[in-house]
Amino acid sequence: MSGSRISRRGLLATASALGASAALSACGAKTGEDGTASAAGAKADTSGSTVKVGLLNSLSGTMAISEVTVHNALLLAVEEINAAGGVLGKKLQAVSQDGASDWPTFAEKAEALITDDKVAATFGCWTSASRKAVKPVFERYRSLLFYPVQYEGLEQSPYIFYVGATTNQQIVPALDYLRKQGLTRLYLVGSDYVFPRTANKVIKAYAEAAGMKVMGEDYAPLGSTEFSTIVNKVKDSGADAVFNTLNGDSNVAFFKEYKSSGMTAKSMPVLSVSIAEEEVKSIGTQYLEGQLTAWNYYQTTPGAENTAFVKAYRAAYGEDKPTSDPMEAAYLSVHLWKEMVEKAGSFDVADVKKAADGITYDAPEGTVTVDGATQHVAKTARIGKVGADGLITEVWNSGRPIEPDPYLKGYDWASGLS
């Protein structure tokens, strides 16, 4: 993978500062159509035969290992929609921007998409640090972001639709699964930024209430390739399992060190929430066979919609290219936006938001439904195991879509988190 690496500590502490910086850079830096600061929001250009949509992903840097394929899935959805006649009779024009795995760059590119390109909606971001950096930009300009990746919850924005899983649709079911397997002593390993740290707060609160024990907790800078110290601590901890919230290509170094230490999926399984089929291929199946993942979709998920999705993606990008949960959610997000726009009969953001509640779509992962109150999506939770072929096979699912609960209001043990 090409591009510069980011290796900074304290991203959790700086996330709010980045958001504030993004908001300040948005204020007054661009103007509305009347030449004044765009306090009333930026207007998308829908006057012609085409409408622009923004794709905002890391096409370089440490997160490119994950985000390039999300970008490809977004392009596939745009192409399919155009082939079927477009949206409200207009073809979509995708405008791509590279966030470059750098949070201030994400904020800068988001503003450019909204004010310069006048996109009707933007699809993208992966890390929570990037999402938090762009959040005040989308709120300032009253423009829509569709976010495709599972995240730590405890957030809601009137201008973000969260199409990936929130905590009660991924992390909580993963903990339920581990507990039922008798794996009650956990070691937490994550990247040093907002998602892993917040997710681990949730995990520790759950563990305390459920009689589980956290044996240790360590973080590495995003992009880190040095894991010998952490892996040695994990090995000596007496844990039953590792709960892994590492992101990006740090997973390559972690699992290589893990295997070198003599640990195996049988002796101390690792459950990961940010490793999907694309990452398995990049890390190497020999390092991941038998390990567990928690998502809402796998390439092997049964159903006609998924069969068609896998076939279309391979036809576009190569027969050896896998599909994955974040890709599927990104692909789904464009189709959901199309359904919202057509129900509203308008590209106007306020109209689209009003039309969102109850929108359902038969996605590759199964039927999903938009909850207008939280702007999250009801999704089925799935635990999978990595096979020798590099694919992930489901070993458990929730049996039905789980309604989103981003603030975990339905869980007594989570009362102090938000």
Side-chain angles (χ1 to χ4, degrees):
M1 187 193 68
S2 63
S4 61
R5 294 179 183 273
I6 293 177
S7 57
R8 15 180 118 157
R9 293 189 180 272
L11 285 176
L12 175 64
T14 60
S16 60
L18 289 174
S21 173
L24 289 172
S25 68
C27 295
K30 299 288 181 179
T31 59
E33 294 178 354
D34 62 355
T36 61
S38 185
K43 279 287 186 181
D45 183 1
T46 60
S47 60
S49 60
T50 61
V51 173
K52 292 179 181 178
V53 292
L55 312 187
L56 182 57
N57 312 103
S58 291
L59 305 180
S60 61
T62 191
M63 290 306 303
I65 186 176
S66 300
E67 294 190 56
V68 167
T69 54
V70 169
H71 179 263
N72 292 343
L74 289 168
L75 287 174
L76 176 63
V78 169
E79 291 166 4
E80 287 183 353
I81 289 169
N82 282 340
V87 181
L88 296 183
K90 297 178 185 289
K91 294 298 178 70
L92 301 181
Q93 179 185 343
V95 181
S96 299
Q97 291 282 8
D98 181 9
S101 305
D102 179 71
W103 325 139
T105 299
F106 265 94
E108 175 189 337
K109 299 297 186 180
E111 187 175 7
L113 286 168
I114 296 166
T115 62
D116 295 340
D117 296 304
K118 300 188 183 302
V119 297
T122 299
F123 304 85
C125 296
W126 179 294
T127 66
S128 290
S130 66
R131 188 192 69 254
K132 287 185 178 295
V134 304
K135 179 174 174 281
V137 179
F138 285 96
E139 291 174 348
R140 164 67 179 171
Y141 290 106
R142 303 183 188 178
S143 187
L144 290 180
L145 170 68
F146 284 74
Y147 179 66
V149 186
Q150 49 77 22
Y151 83 114
E152 70 282 357
L154 307 182
E155 180 182 297
Q156 196 170 321
S157 169
Y159 295 98
I160 300 177
F161 280 91
Y162 304 79
V163 185
T166 188
T167 319
N168 75 307
Q169 299 167 319
Q170 187 197 34
I171 290 176
V172 173
L175 291 167
D176 288 342
Y177 179 82
L178 291 175
R179 184 164 55 87
K180 289 175 182 175
Q181 301 302 309
L183 303 172
T184 60
R185 294 177 296 172
L186 306 181
Y187 203 104
L188 311 182
V189 177
S191 297
D192 193 6
Y193 75 101
V194 64
F195 163 63
R197 286 190 175 273
T198 306
N200 286 343
K201 282 174 58 180
V202 172
I203 292 169
K204 287 184 286 186
Y206 175 104
E208 183 177 357
M212 300 174 77
K213 188 173 182 180
V214 173
M215 308 300 290
E217 179 179 3
D218 272 297
Y219 299 91
L222 197 62
S224 176
T225 59
E226 174 49 55
F227 282 93
S228 58
T229 300
I230 289 177
V231 167
N232 285 334
K233 290 168 69 176
V234 170
K235 186 175 182 179
D236 295 338
S237 67
D240 297 322
V242 177
F243 202 107
N244 173 29
T245 53
L246 291 170
N247 261 269
D249 55 6
S250 290
N251 279 294
V252 179
F254 172 75
F255 277 100
K256 285 183 177 179
E257 190 69 39
Y258 170 96
K259 184 174 181 180
S260 295
S261 76
M263 289 187 287
T264 67
K266 186 174 182 179
S267 66
M268 190 186 294
V270 180
L271 190 149
S272 301
V273 292
S274 295
I275 291 179
E277 287 84 347
E278 183 65 27
E279 289 77 22
V280 171
K281 183 178 179 181
S282 298
I283 295 166
T285 306
Q286 69 271 30
Y287 299 107
L288 290 172
E289 184 179 356
Q291 301 292 10
L292 299 168
T293 64
W295 290 105
N296 308 100
Y297 164 89
Y298 299 112
Q299 181 174 306
T300 55
T301 297
E305 289 79 10
N306 188 37
T307 298
F309 172 57
V310 172
K311 181 178 179 181
Y313 190 83
R314 286 177 167 175
Y317 297 106
E319 287 299 317
D320 63 332
K321 300 298 184 183
T323 57
S324 68
D325 182 290
M327 294 162 57
E328 187 266 351
Y331 169 88
L332 161 65
S333 69
V334 186
H335 285 282
L336 283 179
W337 172 76
K338 172 184 180 290
E339 295 295 319
M340 294 175 193
V341 170
E342 293 189 336
K343 180 181 174 182
S346 167
F347 290 98
D348 180 78
V349 168
D351 293 338
V352 171
K353 282 164 50 66
K354 288 177 184 175
D357 187 48
I359 290 285
T360 61
Y361 186 76
D362 290 329
E365 67 182 78
T367 301
V368 299
T369 305
V370 177
D371 173 44
T374 64
Q375 295 187 175
H376 288 65
V377 178
K379 299 169 75 72
T380 299
R382 293 183 165 90
I383 306 298
K385 182 178 287 188
V386 179
D389 57 0
L391 296 178
I392 303 174
T393 302
E394 182 180 300
V395 296
W396 175 90
N397 72 65
S398 59
R400 58 177 178 79
I402 300 172
E403 292 297 321
D405 184 3
Y407 285 93
L408 298 172
K409 294 178 181 178
Y411 301 86
D412 292 339
W413 54 263
S415 59
L417 293 173
S418 56

